[in-house]
Amino acid sequence: MEYLVSLRHIDFSHTPADVGCLTGLRTLPFFEVGQDKGHRIEELGCLKELGGELRIVNLEPVRDKKEAKGANLFGKAKINTLVLIWSSERKSSSSSINHKDVLEGLQPHPDIRSLEIENYQGDEFPPWLLMPILNNLVVLKLKGCKKLPTAGNLSHLEILEIEGMDGVKKIGEEFYSCGGSGTGPIFPALKRLSLANMWSLVEWMIPATVAGGVHVAFPCLEELYMSWCPELRSCDALSHISGEFHASATSLKYLTILGCSSLTSIPSLQNCTALEVLSIYKCYNVVSTIIPELHSLKSVFIDRCGKATVRVSWPLFRANVKDLKVKDCRQPIFFYDDDDLHRGELWPSRLQSLVISFCNYFNSVPNGLNRRLHSLIQLEISFCQNLSHIPEDFFCGLNQLKVLKIGSFSEELEAFPGMNSIHHLGGSLKKLKIFEWKNLKSLPRQLQHLTSLVKLKIFYFDGKEFDEALPDWSANLSSLQELTICYVLAGIAIVNRSRKLSVHLPSTRASLWNFKETSQPHIPQGFNHLQNSSEGAGRATNGRWSLD
């Protein structure tokens, strides 16, 4: 190693011994600290030309501040990204190590722009992180640490990610560092904040000085991600960030709340005038969610919030919404101004995708909704067990619809509702997936008008009273190229096509897919070219038929 003093770049899977002899190194993929000579952290001390990103892993052997300072990180001005990692398997060991002293000795150069600290077990952070010394720090990532630092005074910090701090139950005053007499903003430049896997977090508060209007917190925040904080019940900070407390516009563009199952409400987002994407997943106890009427809003996803009644106010199109998904919630409720309908002054629609699924209290598609969906490309209404009404003219005007998933409605129904207008989709619809329910007797005859259909999937038709899985009128589906039939016990009639047709009958898992055992499936006259790729005509192997 001592003869390679001019080497500038090196790549390896394990840190070689005596890497400190390579004094000309400009980049180092990572440094794995060991206890033996040639692997100790002091090897980094002579590498004064290192720049870019430096990852130091397995920091457990570093015992105190003196050893840590041997790396001379403070003197490495060319390093812009520093990653410090202690092993997660040794979090509770090495009780003799003064973790705070070690991290204090690992102080980076003041010009560092990105810092990541993982599995640090000190009871507090050293002064160089608590005080505004790192004036150029833009990114701070903390994972698996024991405590939160005070980071509100980092004047250029734009990205803050906090993950897996199992011991943190409350985010309080000490997080913001607003105890001084100044009136400057807290986290003045922060644009992205992420809280993830905070399993014990119960409360996220804002300081009294912020609530009282003395300080402003998160004035530039654009992205907020809260995921897997299942014990979080009190969240004043979210109300502040959304502008609910101070009733003024915010800069928030992206809001995601995932797996916060103890939250019961989401604050009003009406002041989030820059909001583009709203995503709420697996917040099982949220009771009501009102989609804000915002011109900026483009995508809304509400999923697995079983108690939530989702209120959708029209004209939603003013918000430029393109994607709306309400899934596994109590129900969506649509509000719109009937006067607009009577005067014919509907706002232009930009909605391209609408999904309503597994909403058990959704019992009726409101009249007039279709007139607000003329830009729709994808539509799904499925597994709403109490749905019994779809307006007969519902598909009128949906001239751009290409994908439709529909079915599994109220068991009282014996036929698909709303099918009398589906012929209006004949020139646009390319993909159709339909789902059965208990009393359904047959496929809707109106489907024969879908002459542009390329893919058809038929799911869960048990066939006990079902006429036939694929009736003769399906010959009119002249563009059909792919057919999938799942869970059918009735006879299967397959008709001739003008082009190659692949028929998929998944039967490899009997618990999921069931078919009537027949050695000679019904094949209509003129269907002479039906054959299986390995067995020949008239028999199915692995549930797959093909037509050449």
Side-chain angles (χ1 to χ4, degrees), residues 25 44 58 104 108 111 115 156 172 178 213 233 265 287 309 325 347 381 428 459:
L25 276 183
L44 295 172
N58 293 341
E104 187 169 352
D111 290 338
L115 176 64
H156 290 88
C178 59
R233 293 173 173 82
S265 64
V287 176
T309 296
K325 178 180 180 181
W347 286 78
I381 305 176
S428 64
F459 278 76

Side-chain angles (χ1 to χ4, degrees), residues 306-378:
K307 296 182 179 179
T309 296
V310 182
R311 302 180 182 273
V312 185
S313 295
W314 244 266
L316 190 63
F317 316 115
R318 290 178 184 171
N320 293 320
V321 172
K322 293 183 178 180
D323 299 289
L324 174 59
K325 178 180 180 181
V326 181
K327 187 174 181 180
D328 202 359
C329 298
R330 182 179 175 87
Q331 65 175 327
I333 298 180
F334 296 95
F335 295 92
Y336 45 80
D337 188 353
D338 286 335
D339 290 339
D340 283 347
L341 273 177
H342 297 154
R343 295 195 305 266
E345 298 177 355
L346 291 176
W347 286 78
S349 168
R350 294 177 177 84
L351 193 66
Q352 296 180 358
S353 177
L354 173 62
V355 175
I356 303 172
S357 185
F358 292 97
C359 296
N360 291 336
Y361 288 84
F362 182 57
N363 54 30
S364 177
V365 174
N367 294 322
L369 182 62
N370 60 315
R371 297 191 61 185
R372 297 164 169 85
L373 301 176
H374 57 77
S375 294
L376 208 62
I377 295 175
Q378 178 172 326

Side-chain angles (χ1 to χ4, degrees), residues 2-228:
E2 63 269 22
Y3 301 110
L4 300 176
V5 293
S6 298
L7 190 66
R8 295 189 176 187
H9 306 283
I10 189 173
D11 192 12
F12 47 75
S13 57
H14 297 283
T15 308
D18 301 317
V19 74
C21 297
L22 306 177
T23 55
L25 276 183
R26 303 290 179 86
T27 60
L28 189 66
F30 66 91
F31 182 83
E32 187 174 3
V33 181
Q35 296 180 344
D36 299 331
K37 185 178 180 181
H39 292 277
R40 296 170 186 163
I41 198 167
E42 63 189 31
E43 293 292 321
L44 295 172
C46 298
L47 305 182
K48 299 178 181 179
E49 299 299 319
L50 281 182
E53 178 178 335
L54 175 61
R55 295 175 62 89
I56 307 177
V57 302
N58 293 341
L59 278 162
E60 298 78 37
V62 185
R63 314 295 296 183
D64 53 36
K65 179 178 178 180
K66 182 179 178 181
E67 283 188 37
K69 291 187 72 173
N72 190 25
L73 298 182
F74 187 81
K76 293 177 171 50
K78 298 179 182 179
I79 292 178
N80 53 47
T81 299
L82 177 63
V83 182
L84 304 173
I85 301 178
W86 283 261
S87 173
S88 59
E89 287 80 11
R90 307 180 195 179
K91 276 186 179 182
S92 59
S93 62
S94 304
S95 58
S96 61
I97 298 176
N98 189 324
H99 295 278
K100 179 186 174 184
D101 278 357
V102 171
L103 188 55
E104 187 169 352
L106 295 173
Q107 179 178 350
H109 190 275
D111 290 338
I112 194 78
R113 293 183 60 81
S114 178
L115 176 64
E116 181 176 343
I117 302 174
E118 186 171 334
N119 298 325
Y120 169 67
Q121 295 304 294
D123 290 327
E124 58 181 337
F125 283 83
W128 58 261
L129 185 56
L130 303 178
M131 299 168 61
I133 294 175
L134 304 179
N135 290 324
N136 293 315
L137 191 66
V138 176
V139 179
L140 177 59
K141 299 180 181 181
L142 304 169
K143 181 178 180 180
C145 300
K146 189 175 181 180
K147 298 285 186 179
L148 282 171
T150 301
N153 288 337
L154 295 171
S155 58
H156 290 88
L157 190 66
E158 295 182 5
I159 299 174
L160 176 58
E161 297 182 4
I162 300 170
E163 179 180 354
M165 296 191 180
D166 297 342
V168 175
K169 296 184 178 180
K170 177 180 178 181
I171 299 177
E173 300 266 355
E174 68 284 351
F175 176 62
Y176 298 91
S177 182
C178 59
S181 58
T183 58
I186 304 167
F187 293 105
L190 195 65
K191 294 183 178 180
R192 174 187 172 115
L193 175 58
S194 174
L195 296 176
N197 303 331
M198 303 290 284
W199 305 106
S200 302
L201 184 64
V202 175
E203 180 181 8
W204 182 15
M205 61 167 288
I206 59 170
T209 54
V210 173
V214 177
H215 287 89
V216 175
F218 311 111
C220 298
L221 193 65
E222 297 180 355
E223 304 176 36
L224 175 60
Y225 302 94
M226 301 165 54
S227 61
W228 302 115

Side-chain angles (χ1 to χ4, degrees), residues 426-490:
S428 64
L429 197 68
K430 303 296 183 184
K431 300 178 182 179
L432 174 63
K433 180 185 287 188
I434 55 179
F435 304 97
E436 178 265 358
W437 60 91
K438 183 178 180 180
N439 290 330
L440 192 65
K441 298 294 191 298
S442 64
L443 292 178
R445 293 186 57 86
Q446 297 89 335
L447 298 183
Q448 64 184 297
H449 301 296
L450 302 178
T451 55
S452 64
L453 200 65
V454 176
K455 294 184 179 181
L456 174 61
K457 297 184 177 182
I458 304 171
F459 278 76
Y460 312 133
F461 291 83
D462 64 21
K464 294 177 181 177
E465 298 183 5
F466 203 70
D467 294 340
E468 52 186 343
L470 199 61
D472 289 338
W473 54 252
S474 58
N476 296 330
L477 305 178
S478 56
S479 300
L480 196 65
Q481 296 179 16
E482 183 177 323
L483 171 65
T484 301
I485 304 175
C486 298
Y487 205 86
V488 177
L489 295 178

Side-chain angles (χ1 to χ4, degrees), residues 352-411:
Q352 296 180 358
S353 177
L354 173 62
V355 175
I356 303 172
S357 185
F358 292 97
C359 296
N360 291 336
Y361 288 84
F362 182 57
N363 54 30
S364 177
V365 174
N367 294 322
L369 182 62
N370 60 315
R371 297 191 61 185
R372 297 164 169 85
L373 301 176
H374 57 77
S375 294
L376 208 62
I377 295 175
Q378 178 172 326
L379 172 64
E380 178 176 354
I381 305 176
S382 64
F383 298 99
C384 298
Q385 296 179 359
N386 288 299
L387 181 64
S388 59
H389 172 71
I390 296 177
E392 288 303 322
D393 65 346
F394 180 69
F395 295 105
C396 296
L398 305 186
N399 299 327
Q400 299 187 48
L401 195 68
K402 297 184 183 301
V403 180
L404 175 62
K405 301 176 183 179
I406 191 167
S408 194
F409 299 145
S410 171
E411 292 188 356

